[in-house]
Amino acid sequence: MIRLKMMFCLTLAMAILAIAADARGDYRQSFNHGWLFHNGDAPGAEAADFDDSGWRSQQLPHDWAIEGPFDVKYNARAGGLPFHGTGWYRKTFETPENAKGKAVLITFDGAMYDAHVWVNGQFVGNRPYGYIEFQFDISKYLNEDGSNTIAVKLTPEDLSSRWYPGAGIYRNVWIDVRNPIRVAQWGTFVTTPKVGEDEATVSVETTLTGNLGSRNVQLRYDVFDPSGAKVASATTKGETETSTELTVRGPQLWNIDSPNLYRLTTTVLDGDNAVDGVNTTFGIRTLEFSKEKGFSLNGKHTRIQGVCLHHDNGPLGSVVNRRAIERKLQIMKQMGVNSVRTSHNPPSNELLEFCDKLGLLVQVEAFDVWMKAKVPNGYNKFFEEWAERDIKDMVRRDRNHPSVFMWSIGNEILEQSSKEDGNRIAKQLNDYVKSLDTTRPTTCGFNWYPGPYATGMAGQVDIAGMNYKPLAYGEPVNSYLPNNPVVGSETSSCTSSRGVYHLPIEKYQTHESKQVTSYDLIGPPWAYPPDIEFDALEKHPEVLGEYIWTGFDYLGEPTPYGGKDNSTNGYWNADWPSRSSYFGAVDLCGFPKDRFYLYQSQWTDEPMVHVLPHWNWENTGHEMIPVYAYTNCEEVELFVNGESAGRRVKGKDLTKILVKFNRYESDHLMSKYRLSWEVPFAPGSLRVVCYNDGKPVAEKEIKTAGTPAQIKLVPDRSELSADGSDLSYVTVRIEDAEGNFCPLASNLVRFKVEGEGAIAAVGNGNAATTAPFIADHREAFNGLCMLIVKSGNQIGEIKIVAESDGLISGATSLDVK
């Protein structure tokens, strides 16, 4: 048994409180404004006196590739967008007034990729991996008085990623002015070795940098509970490496339902003067991983109901935006998700911050590739030189987050085929992680069963991640790993297009429409419908749980389309214009697909029911329509135009599903996780009512829609912050004259946005279109499209109008405060 009982803390991206900055001598502010950008090479642009007058102004974060255009000459597997090439950023800034005798630090949360940085024409440093945070001390390069120029060159390469990576300085940039004697970057590590109902022990390890010499340096620690009340304090002598313990009485535990967060303030005292300080937000909780019993959080058995998420934010590209990330996670929570796997790279600070606040467990993943290449220009080019530093920096940065409960050293690594290399590198990476954090288990996503299990590679990590191998749970894998817990690190991999239903229901790999039916049965050769995973997990409660591929659609990897076209040098453009994922339970805009509700029916308790397909089948030639219902209730009754088509009992009345994916081939697999009917189509309504103990507890109705007549706008938020980056996602619905949703509508909608805001992007969830995301118009896809509005920097109102030929316009307004 692997048994880990632990308490964790987390460091937030903006950890230092501005209110205390002057008193403690620290300084941090955003460095996102005032940049200039040039798309293309610019020889000599690192020089301080380079003429950049023709460059465009650019606020960060920024992804230059999302502007497009989509083009068949770009790699569809990576999104069909121009993310490769050379891009330059320059900024002129004044030396901070309080910088004399201090350390001036520039921190990049991430830059895609192979960043080279110069200050005043002098080379400062390079960091290749686009997903990793890095910091440079630029003190010695600054002009003591007057202005300075920073230049950043990025050179993302084609064929460097299996999905859309984005391009540019796509995460936040910060400037810090710190005392020479200070807490080092990621220099605070908080754990709680003892947690009980009455008290918890908070253990703090602090690393200081600077010449301490014979100075009287002390460290003062103060702990504040979730309400802000001080609950513990301690003072100790400050050394390069310092450890201390504090006791918190009556601890409020961090968990999925109540993510209670504490704050530790670390103040560096030089004599009686406070010269530096940091704030660390943390949570108190215990983890336990057992081969026999699975996973427990705070002593309570908890099944992982997880999703894999790529880093992009749909129509916004790879740009980090706080609201976009928060919304994505909120939608996942609505589906019943309690964990996220950051496939296949270190995430943004913001994602972990929101997971901490929302109560989502996180498996942080380091790499998609080691030494053996998956694509010609992947991270394998940098692995030998940079892997140790990158994975250690990942752990240092993220090890205080209470949401982080597992480290992944890789995904579907090609070294699985080599016993020597696979074991050696896996052990090496595992040792790097354990040198910095022994409180969390390590894992890796293995997909070549039984290879890495038989060779011992899977035994180099604490928890075996099994990708798409539900039939191997139990004795098959236990024969290789008798002591290690197992988790479904990637599961199902079903594909679908929102609102698309192909009849009759058939097994196929691709369809002439470049879409995939939403009956939740189709997938690539390695995959299978969700029902198979549900059944396997039900039979094996000792398995920790699953991470479905994926929660959201993402840019690039348009499986089952986007195959290789040998006429274009091996680029994945055979099924153009398919250019983004079909895997998600939620589409690229955040609109739930039917599969969202299938998972919700398994992962939530609040009574719910969902019915599919739509009910507009006139003149299609289809007379008998298969109807599915997803529910977490005991029974469902279907009504067609008010007449009962019969009740179905979940677990008793089974639904035949057609499966043809590798070992899962069957024409008669019966599922107890979905209910079904086959009824004649007649215009009107389709209504389902679900029952518990014979009593109706929830229902849902779909009506046959008439001709599209009007536009309805539904903002997800009507109040925005006047910070220049807050977002409102405005759902655009096409409705008939009676207000019924038109599920087949494809009207072109034009947008006007006036006042204290602007259009950030548009989209519709269609994975097979080259329409631009940065535009003032969008076609509806199966009745829906999305307008994303960004706030300005002034208080006021945003007025939105949506127009389409032949339709009544829609209008709404937002308040910016």
Side-chain angles (χ1 to χ4, degrees), residues 76-77 79 310 312 494-497 515 549-550 552-560 578-588 593 595 765-768:
R77 193 181 189 188
H310 271 312
D312 74 76
C494 196
T495 53
S496 61
S497 302
Q515 304 296 342
W549 190 264
T550 55
F552 263 68
D553 278 341
Y554 54 93
L555 292 165
E557 210 168 34
T559 307
S578 292
R579 46 72 175 151
S580 61
S581 164
Y582 298 76
F583 286 118
V586 175
D587 75 14
L588 206 62
K593 303 180 188 178
R595 197 161 8 110
N766 184 358

Side-chain angles (χ1 to χ4, degrees), residues 498 591-592 597 700-703 705 708-715 729-747 749 751 763-764 778-787 802-804 807-811:
R498 175 187 52 77
F591 297 131
Y597 301 100
K700 192 166 187 178
E701 184 175 25
I702 298 173
K703 293 184 178 181
Q710 59 185 328
I711 301 171
K712 183 177 182 180
L713 301 182
V714 185
Y729 285 76
V730 183
T731 296
V732 183
R733 285 170 49 100
I734 307 300
E735 299 180 343
D736 67 12
E738 282 72 45
N740 297 311
F741 174 63
C742 297
L744 303 176
S746 58
N747 305 70
V749 182
F751 303 107
N764 61 13
R778 195 65 164 188
E779 282 189 354
F781 177 61
N782 294 325
L784 296 174
C785 60
M786 176 69 71
L787 169 67
E803 301 174 329
S804 183
L807 304 184
I808 298 172
S809 299

